[in-house]
Amino acid sequence: MPGDQKNEKAKIHVAKNGPYLVSGGIPLSRQTIVCNARGDSVAWQEGEHYPVQEKYSLCRCGGSGDKPFCDGTHLKIHFDGTETASRVPYLERAEWVEGRDIRMSDAPGFCSHARFCVRGNGIWDLVERQKSQEMREKAIEEGAKCHSGRLVIWDRKTGEPLEPGLPPSIGVVEGPGTGLQGPLWVRGRIPVLSSRGFTYEVRNRVTLCRCGRSGNKPYCDGSHREK
Ligand code: FES
């Protein structure tokens, strides 16, 4: 179940036109998207763990020379970090895909284009057709790998989400492709506080922009993939 492990002090404050101010000793590690020979995203690979710090600042503008940390470059480049993301809760924005004993909620506005869901005929087909236990398991696996939380698989009987309870932590996402820097993968229901004085919906997994180009700040919208 999501939210099994708690860190009451953990929070991320979005600084106005500046970095993410992280507090509560949240673990930080590199997370790389692994692709198969066809270029499909198939797995997450955990890399370097940064030394645990009680507080630290993560670059949001994409210009730091000390990524993933902020080095003050946002001031020199006059970074416009205006937050434009919707505050409508996930379930009010989601469309539903119905399957035999699972269903899937899908809110495309959260997508950060990791592409685990487009293998084969796509996760939508797996949920809808769900002819075998294998298809069910594959849909659950692909849904759980969606780091942005766009896709959530639910058990029809219990009404509960079928995803792991992630420990509070932040992943610095890289790939797919050499040198491609993805978003910050925020896991384990860490509150994200807006520079405008409210808290975004607290979720098991979301992705925050760290290239500075998202049109859905503070969330990632996949703009890092555009050249
Ligand atoms: S937000 Fe400070 S250097 Fe990018």
Side-chain angles (χ1 to χ4, degrees):
M1 282 293 302
D4 285 349
Q5 300 177 49
K6 291 211 169 80
N7 173 354
E8 302 291 352
K9 288 191 195 156
K11 59 170 98 87
I12 299 172
H13 192 125
V14 182
K16 186 177 180 185
N17 299 328
Y20 299 107
L21 307 174
V22 180
S23 55
I26 303 172
L28 180 72
S29 64
R30 285 191 188 278
Q31 298 286 335
T32 303
I33 297 173
V34 179
C35 293
N36 64 16
R38 286 199 304 269
D40 298 328
S41 300
V42 292
W44 285 104
Q45 185 172 62
E46 182 151 53
E48 174 189 4
H49 282 245
Y50 295 89
V52 174
Q53 303 176 71
E54 184 57 29
K55 293 184 177 184
Y56 50 92
S57 303
L58 293 174
C59 176
R60 185 162 82 92
C61 72
S64 174
D66 185 30
K67 290 190 187 86
F69 302 103
C70 167
D71 70 353
T73 299
H74 59 275
L75 293 170
K76 289 184 211 146
I77 63 174
H78 306 290
F79 172 54
D80 178 0
T82 304
E83 295 168 60
T84 53
S86 167
R87 291 180 63 192
V88 177
Y90 171 80
L91 284 177
E92 287 179 30
R93 296 167 63 182
E95 293 165 8
W96 288 90
V97 179
E98 304 293 346
R100 193 182 60 200
D101 58 359
I102 55 172
R103 61 200 302 242
M104 180 172 74
S105 49
D106 177 4
F110 282 92
C111 189
S112 57
H113 302 264
R115 298 178 60 77
F116 288 99
C117 56
V118 295
R119 278 182 273 168
N121 293 329
I123 193 169
W124 299 266
D125 183 67
L126 282 174
V127 172
E128 273 177 347
R129 288 200 300 127
Q130 205 200 127
K131 284 189 181 143
S132 62
Q133 183 66 12
E134 192 188 346
M135 288 175 85
R136 173 192 154 95
E137 298 304 324
K138 201 163 177 228
I140 294 169
E141 178 231 313
E142 288 187 11
K145 284 194 166 86
C146 170
H147 61 340
S148 71
R150 166 185 169 171
L151 304 171
V152 180
I153 302 283
W154 303 75
D155 188 311
R156 293 189 75 93
K157 261 194 207 137
T158 65
E160 295 290 336
L162 295 168
E163 59 179 311
L166 300 169
S169 55
I170 300 174
V172 179
V173 174
E174 296 188 339
T178 314
L180 184 63
Q181 298 189 333
L184 296 169
W185 182 10
V186 176
R187 298 166 292 192
R189 304 185 62 77
I190 300 170
V192 177
L193 282 59
S194 167
S195 64
R196 293 187 285 151
F198 58 84
T199 302
Y200 288 96
E201 182 183 15
V202 175
R203 301 192 61 214
N204 189 34
R205 44 195 162 114
V206 292
T207 45
L208 298 179
C209 171
R210 71 180 181 108
C211 72
R213 300 204 299 266
S214 173
N216 190 35
K217 294 185 184 71
Y219 297 114
C220 168
D221 70 352
S223 292
H224 57 274
R225 294 177 70 99
E226 293 159 16
K227 295 279 175 198

